Amino acid sequence: MSIQIDQAIIHEIAQNSDGQLNCRLRPQPLLNGAAVEAMLEELHSTYTSKGGKGFGFFGVHGDDGEANPAFSEALNRYRSNEMGFVEFSAEAGKLLQEELGKYDFSQGGFLLLASYTALASDYLFVALLNAKSSMTVLDDMELTQVNSLDLSNMQLAARIDLTEWQQDKESRKYISFIRGRAGRKVADFFLDFMGCVEGVNPKVQNKSLMNAVEDFVAGSELTKEERQQCRDKVFEFCSEKFDSGNDIQLKDLADELADSGMDSFYDFATGGDYELDEEFPADKSTLRQLKKFSGTGGGVTVSFDGGHLGERVIYDPVSDTLLIKGVPANLKDQLDRRLKGE
């Protein structure tokens, strides 16, 4: 196992016959059997690999008054052994029920809370899971319909790095959360019930890093190939951090580049107007622009490796055109067929 499970529990929030939300509390933690281990391993892996996550902290809303401190206070009592895990989870369930009651769109769901350790850090995983209907075959080969937790379509989930929260009082990124397909607003009620305020914006930080790298190589005496090697090195370094769930350490990245003969990047990145933090979460989709050019618009989609610019792909900004030498074989086949048909 990649994680060591401490305790986990599930409560159900559902509408009663009057249309009111109730929280049905489980009285004891889930048994740490094979089913629980498999579920949490899957959730941990799925959550870690999701891109575009937001990051925040227990704090104060800007102009909206103070965030609700009830969740963080209960969590602090649990971590201080003043409150048991079941008691803490029940408090969390009631807080979520109250928050959901403010909205008309909610049908509830299954609130999962899990305390576990991974890579020497303690985490609390919080998710509101939905059930989906599926078919299964019984021992007598009859079909029956069953409801199961929809783990692959997780949309409302957050993970609190308890170690970072308690050791770094200045951190603004110890809570990560899924933004949802429709953006940040979808998860507002979920974050509000925890009193979470958005802090670090990974996309902004990664965009600034990418700009710093481009400016750094542009002002260097490196050859075209060496410049692309520098971009690739940055992308590979940051991708490894993303895949492992670790932050980008700006000093470590600079040391990695220095080992490849590209000195002074740290001084360059911190001495400019890039406003980079010393460490921040990786956003692979943003940094992929170091390796690839891509764009879509007006019914045209273009994507190519950065190393081809100026060789197989020629860009003329004056005429606003791209010249592609060596059309990919599958695309060439489609074009040839269309020309023959016409």
Side-chain angles (χ1 to χ4, degrees):
M1 291 180 64
S2 62
I3 64 175
Q4 182 179 347
I5 302 170
D6 180 20
Q7 296 186 85
I9 199 167
I10 289 178
H11 303 305
E12 183 182 14
I13 299 176
Q15 289 184 341
N16 59 23
S17 58
D18 297 327
Q20 300 297 314
L21 286 175
N22 285 330
C23 184
R24 186 161 65 96
L25 299 174
R26 178 180 169 86
Q28 67 272 339
L30 298 169
L31 297 176
N32 288 346
V36 172
E37 292 176 357
M39 177 186 68
L40 292 179
E41 281 280 358
E42 179 179 347
L43 287 174
H44 174 75
S45 176
T46 300
Y47 184 87
T48 300
S49 64
K50 275 187 175 291
K53 289 192 289 287
F55 291 81
F57 60 102
F58 297 127
V60 177
H61 290 292
D63 298 324
D64 300 328
E66 293 189 357
N68 187 352
F71 183 91
S72 60
E73 289 174 352
L75 179 58
N76 191 52
R77 292 198 300 272
Y78 160 59
R79 291 289 289 176
S80 302
N81 296 318
E82 298 174 18
M83 176 186 287
F85 180 75
V86 173
E87 187 181 359
F88 159 68
S89 70
E91 183 73 17
K94 292 173 183 176
L95 288 171
L96 181 56
Q97 174 196 327
E98 292 172 2
E99 190 64 36
L100 283 171
K102 301 175 184 178
Y103 301 86
D104 296 330
F105 60 81
S106 177
Q107 301 297 315
F110 293 93
L111 174 62
L112 167 69
L113 294 104
S115 173
Y116 65 86
T117 300
L119 299 175
S121 289
D122 294 336
Y123 293 99
L124 179 71
F125 187 80
V126 186
L128 185 61
L129 303 172
N130 293 318
K132 64 178 181 179
S133 178
S134 60
M135 302 298 292
T136 189
V137 181
L138 300 176
D139 291 340
D140 59 0
M141 304 306 290
E142 283 288 346
L143 285 175
T144 186
Q145 188 171 350
V146 297
N147 288 327
S148 59
L149 291 176
D150 192 0
L151 303 183
S152 61
N153 190 33
M154 179 172 50
Q155 293 298 315
L156 292 170
R159 186 170 65 188
I160 304 169
D161 187 328
L162 300 172
T163 302
E164 183 174 342
W165 171 48
Q166 296 184 314
Q167 292 183 358
D168 185 359
K169 301 302 182 183
E170 301 300 318
S171 174
R172 298 170 62 87
K173 59 178 179 56
Y174 50 78
I175 304 175
S176 63
F177 57 89
I178 296 175
R179 288 184 177 274
R181 292 195 181 99
R184 166 71 170 82
K185 290 296 182 183
V186 173
D188 274 358
F189 77 87
F190 192 67
L191 299 183
D192 288 345
F193 112 86
M194 292 188 295
C196 174
V197 179
E198 190 165 8
V200 174
N201 189 321
K203 284 190 175 296
V204 172
Q205 286 288 301
N206 282 259
K207 181 68 174 178
S208 295
L209 174 62
M210 187 181 69
N211 291 338
V213 172
E214 290 294 351
D215 292 346
F216 178 72
V217 298
S220 69
E221 297 180 356
L222 300 173
T223 64
K224 181 177 183 293
E225 291 74 20
E226 289 172 336
R227 292 179 182 182
Q228 191 56 46
Q229 289 173 5
C230 178
R231 297 185 186 100
D232 292 344
K233 175 74 72 174
V234 173
F235 179 77
E236 291 166 5
F237 177 90
C238 296
S239 293
E240 290 177 2
K241 296 299 181 182
F242 177 87
D243 293 339
S244 64
N246 294 319
D247 290 343
I248 297 170
Q249 303 279 346
L250 193 59
K251 189 67 171 65
D252 290 347
L253 172 59
D255 291 344
E256 186 80 9
L257 293 178
D259 290 341
S260 301
M262 291 165 276
D263 298 322
S264 72
F265 177 72
Y266 181 81
D267 292 336
F268 180 87
T270 56
D273 298 324
Y274 303 107
E275 297 183 354
L276 284 167
D277 294 339
E278 287 292 332
E279 60 179 271
F280 49 88
D283 185 76
K284 193 183 290 189
S285 62
T286 299
L287 292 170
R288 193 170 284 116
Q289 296 174 52
L290 290 169
K291 292 179 66 70
K292 282 182 173 290
F293 290 99
S294 62
T296 300
V300 175
T301 297
V302 179
S303 177
F304 58 92
D305 290 342
H308 292 321
L309 185 64
E311 297 179 358
R312 286 186 60 188
V313 181
I314 309 298
Y315 173 51
D316 183 354
V318 177
S319 62
D320 192 26
T321 57
L322 280 179
L323 173 63
I324 302 176
K325 300 178 181 180
V327 178
N330 56 351
L331 176 57
K332 187 178 188 308
D333 180 62
Q334 297 173 58
L335 296 172
D336 289 343
R337 287 175 181 272
R338 176 61 62 89
L339 289 176
K340 288 180 182 179
E342 294 179 350

